[in-house]
Amino acid sequence: MKMSKEPDEFEKKIRFGCGGLFGLVVGFYTVSRLFLKSDEILLFFIVMISCVYICGYMAMKQGDKFWHSIKKNLRWFD
């Protein structure tokens, strides 16, 4: 049986920060592909903030499983 220890607060902050940076890239990619020709600045910020928060939260909660799933599904960016 594999025992996993709960990450401490510092590790959670690091995970969230790294996931948030990845979310910033994903958000910018999404906005540039979908909304670049639009003048909806509010929608731009909503998508960017949502991507940062979602990726940061998933990275914090799932840890390495999150990054392995990203690596496995990287063709998603094509």
Side-chain angles (χ1 to χ4, degrees), residues 4-62:
S4 63
K5 66 178 184 93
E6 183 71 24
D8 61 357
E9 289 299 314
F10 181 71
E11 185 175 353
K12 286 182 179 181
K13 289 176 185 175
I14 294 295
R15 286 181 180 185
F16 188 86
C18 292
L21 286 175
F22 179 73
L24 192 63
V25 171
V26 170
F28 184 75
Y29 176 81
T30 303
V31 167
S32 68
R33 298 281 291 201
L34 299 176
F35 304 114
L36 193 60
K37 295 176 177 48
S38 175
D39 291 334
E40 296 286 336
I41 193 74
L42 180 62
L43 188 58
F44 170 82
F45 284 114
I46 290 172
V47 170
M48 292 292 287
I49 291 170
S50 297
C51 286
V52 168
Y53 180 74
I54 290 169
C55 288
Y57 181 78
M58 295 301 289
M60 182 183 69
K61 286 296 186 184
Q62 293 184 351

Side-chain angles (χ1 to χ4, degrees), residues 22 25-26 29 66-78:
F22 179 73
V25 171
V26 170
Y29 176 81
F66 172 75
W67 297 109
H68 288 295
S69 69
I70 295 297
K71 183 180 175 185
K72 187 172 104 175
N73 297 309
L74 199 57
R75 65 179 184 275
W76 174 82
F77 281 102
D78 290 338

